[in-house]
């Protein structure tokens, strides 16, 4: 959890592979490729839910399988990692532009977790939409769910937006429904860790509850994510592995025990929001609406 | 917040008034009644949402307006406070009996906040239902929402149930929807701070979201509360004042800062669940189902 946010994980994986190449630059080509293969396996095992991780590893693999000259392999891998980081910033700005067009005037926008500059190389995906809409003068304020247990909303989203002078109000995850009921939330936008071919979205635990609450209150629910987050090999969200994290994230806070000893805990890191609850998925390639067909826009480009 | 839980607040208010009488037992009757009137006002101002508080203060007022002999007033007030505490235990056991009949076999029950022995004089309301159903061999396990920001679920409910050997699993508030989606929750039962004539329920913040999620998943949503929680003077939940609590409950944890400085916070202590989301309200007088008519059962008794 040192690196978090699907896009940031992809960029880190690319740099990690570039580093593995640099560290083994003096080896003969077979040994170098062996090292790269095992580094790729190791990095791939860290976060089973993050499709960007596998996308970045695949991109890097294309580079190191394309040449049998160690120096070329190393040089091209470093170049590709730098490209991936630069592409990430451009991509987030494109997501922001596409998403800002969907934001109404004087919008009071709810977000969950952190899909911001701290989760991407820069600018953010969900927060990219908010930033771009704010630049267009459309954002009245942002509601930030604190996002238990890891508090990414309190620690990261609130901090990022406050620093950028975007009005933000921090709430507990269980308060969003109350403010929807009172007519104080106009839309929700979140990131995604993985999107399946049918439009189901795996994202930080609690995202699904936000989507259900949006449906109940007729509030648009948007997902903003890089196109690379879409995993066309998975038909739907049933097949997405959900990472189960440590009990201590719930039972302790800032090193202090906040629950009794010996208590059983469940701590899934992600949940799956079914496509039917999603108003639109915003990517750098454009906006997709249900029924989701991600191949279509690809063909248009 | 030293005393919490609607029934416990009522019992405490009654004992508080008895104490005020004891402390002023030597005064002439007019001065004594002045002291009692101002004590009643002071106690009534502490928690504007708790109807049991006003009920208990009213009960005590009946006692001190019924006599003009200081010794009798003091003696009768102490007696009435003791009765209210004893009635509370009997009441919770009756709620438990009525509620247990609604619990299916092998039930996996979600609860939010703490409506247990720690919120009543004994046994609990929502947890009274769970305890009684567990005694009947019907409870497989209990899901306890941690209940941010004050963590009553983690600190109190999980502790109470664990101590009574009732299997309990602690989750963050934003995880309940995920486990409902996976078919792992059979029913939800919560307490209430105030119930209006039409069946709307004010309870700990987050209760409304649980009710919406139950509706989405076709899971029965029960409210367990003393009949005195019903405030027939309020037509619906629109009129219930919602206590706004300190920002520090969100921004600090165990004395440590967990959100950036200068961040705006919203912290409503309660929300209102509309009657249409409630499967039944369980009281010591019996079970009420929509459309709620609380006068009917009263007439039957």
């Amino acid at each position: 959890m040192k690196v978090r946010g699907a896009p940031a994980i992809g960029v880190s994986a690319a740099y990690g592979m570039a580093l593995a190449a640099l560290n083994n630059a003096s080896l003969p080509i077979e040994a170098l490729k062996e090292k790269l293969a095992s580094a790729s396996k190791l990095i791939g095992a860290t976060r089973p839910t993050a499709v960007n991780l596998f996308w970045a590893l695949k991109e890097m693999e294309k580079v190191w399988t394309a040449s049998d000259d160690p120096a070329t392999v190393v040089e091209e891998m470093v170049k590709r990692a730098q490209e991936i980081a630069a592409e990430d910033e451009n991509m987030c700005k494109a997501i922001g532009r596409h998403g800002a067009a969907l934001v109404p005037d004087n919008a009071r926008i709810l977000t969950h977790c952190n899909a911001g500059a701290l989760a991407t190389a820069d600018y953010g995906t969900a927060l990219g939409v908010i930033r771009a809409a704010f630049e267009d003068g459309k954002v009245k304020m942002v509601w930030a769910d604190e996002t238990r247990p890891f508090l990414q909303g309190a620690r990261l989203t609130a901090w990022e937006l406050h620093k950028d002078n975007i009005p933000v109000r921090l709430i507990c995850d269980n308060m969003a429904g109350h403010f929807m009921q009172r007519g104080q939330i106009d839309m929700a936008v979140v990131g995604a860790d993985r999107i399946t071919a049918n439009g189901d979205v795996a994202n930080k635990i609690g995202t699904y509850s936000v989507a259900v609450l949006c449906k109940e209150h007729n509030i648009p629910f948007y997902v903003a994510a890089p196109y690379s987050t879409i995993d066309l090999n998975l038909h739907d969200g049933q097949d997405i592995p959900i990472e189960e994290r440590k009990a201590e994230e719930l039972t302790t806070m800032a090193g202090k025990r906040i629950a009794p000893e010996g208590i059983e805990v469940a701590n899934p890191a992600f949940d799956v929001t079914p496509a039917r609850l999603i108003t639109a998925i915003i990517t750098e390639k454009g906006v997709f609406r249900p029924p989701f067909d991600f191949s279509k826009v690809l063909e248009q480009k």
Side-chain angles (χ1 to χ4, degrees), chain A:
Chain A
M1 291 292 275
K2 295 265 159 145
V3 178
R4 46 161 302 287
I9 288 172
V11 172
S12 299
Y15 274 118
M17 288 304 299
L19 209 60
L22 283 167
N23 287 344
N24 297 289
S26 57
L27 294 181
I29 190 70
E30 292 79 18
L32 172 60
K33 290 195 176 182
E34 245 169 61
K35 287 279 185 191
L36 291 172
S38 76
S40 189
K41 216 170 151 187
L42 185 73
I43 294 172
T46 51
R47 302 298 300 273
T49 315
V51 70
N52 289 66
L53 178 63
F54 298 105
W55 173 83
L57 292 175
K58 203 110 208 162
E59 287 298 302
M60 296 306 278
E61 194 180 334
K62 283 183 202 164
V63 176
W64 57 267
T65 50
S67 165
D68 277 339
D69 173 48
T72 307
V73 163
V74 172
E75 191 184 323
E76 291 297 315
M77 283 180 76
V78 171
K79 219 173 98 189
R80 187 73 189 106
Q82 288 169 334
E83 278 169 15
I84 287 172
E87 283 163 13
D88 184 76
E89 182 175 346
N90 291 333
M91 177 203 71
C92 286
K93 296 222 157 141
I95 290 172
R97 271 196 313 278
H98 290 306
L102 304 173
V103 175
D105 284 338
N106 285 312
R108 297 157 302 174
I109 307 176
L110 173 69
T111 189
H112 185 76
C113 196
N114 177 263
L118 296 162
T120 57
D122 193 38
Y123 206 70
T125 55
L127 292 195
V129 171
I130 291 172
R131 281 196 171 87
F134 185 74
E135 289 160 17
D136 293 349
K138 287 165 141 189
V139 178
K140 191 171 175 192
M141 54 92 61
V142 178
W143 295 94
D145 273 354
E146 65 174 3
T147 317
R148 283 284 289 153
F150 225 64
L151 298 169
Q152 291 92 339
R155 294 186 292 109
L156 309 179
T157 298
W159 180 83
E160 266 193 47
L161 294 176
H162 187 61
K163 186 177 64 82
D164 283 1
N165 294 312
I166 301 174
V168 57
R169 198 173 296 158
L170 179 66
I171 53 174
C172 296
D173 301 319
N174 63 22
M175 295 172 183
H178 171 69
F179 290 108
M180 289 185 192
Q181 188 191 36
R182 304 223 150 183
Q184 295 181 49
I185 295 177
D186 302 306
M187 62 173 272
V189 61
V190 300
D193 280 76
R194 201 159 186 170
I195 300 173
T196 57
N198 72 334
D200 288 355
V201 168
N203 191 45
K204 182 55 56 199
I205 189 75
T207 301
Y208 172 61
S209 296
V210 171
V212 169
L213 288 163
C214 280
K215 180 194 160 203
E216 172 75 13
H217 298 89
N218 261 314
I219 294 168
F221 177 85
Y222 296 108
V223 173
Y227 188 85
S228 65
T229 311
I230 300 163
D231 186 348
L232 293 172
N233 295 319
L234 290 179
H235 176 264
D236 63 55
Q238 303 276 15
D239 303 328
I240 300 176
I242 302 285
E243 185 181 351
E244 176 75 23
R245 301 188 49 79
K246 282 186 302 186
E248 285 70 36
E249 290 185 1
L250 269 83
T251 56
T252 63
M253 178 82 78
K256 273 202 185 172
R257 187 109 197 149
I258 55 170
E261 297 284 344
I263 292 292
E264 199 186 326
V265 165
N267 185 15
F270 302 96
D271 59 26
V272 175
T273 300
R276 68 179 168 83
L277 298 178
I278 299 169
T279 308
I281 295 175
I282 305 157
T283 76
E284 72 279 20
K285 291 184 193 287
V287 174
F288 296 84
R289 291 189 181 267
F292 295 103
D293 183 350
F294 298 111
S295 60
K296 271 195 185 146
V297 167
L298 253 189
E299 284 159 18
Q300 286 168 7
K301 289 268 155 179

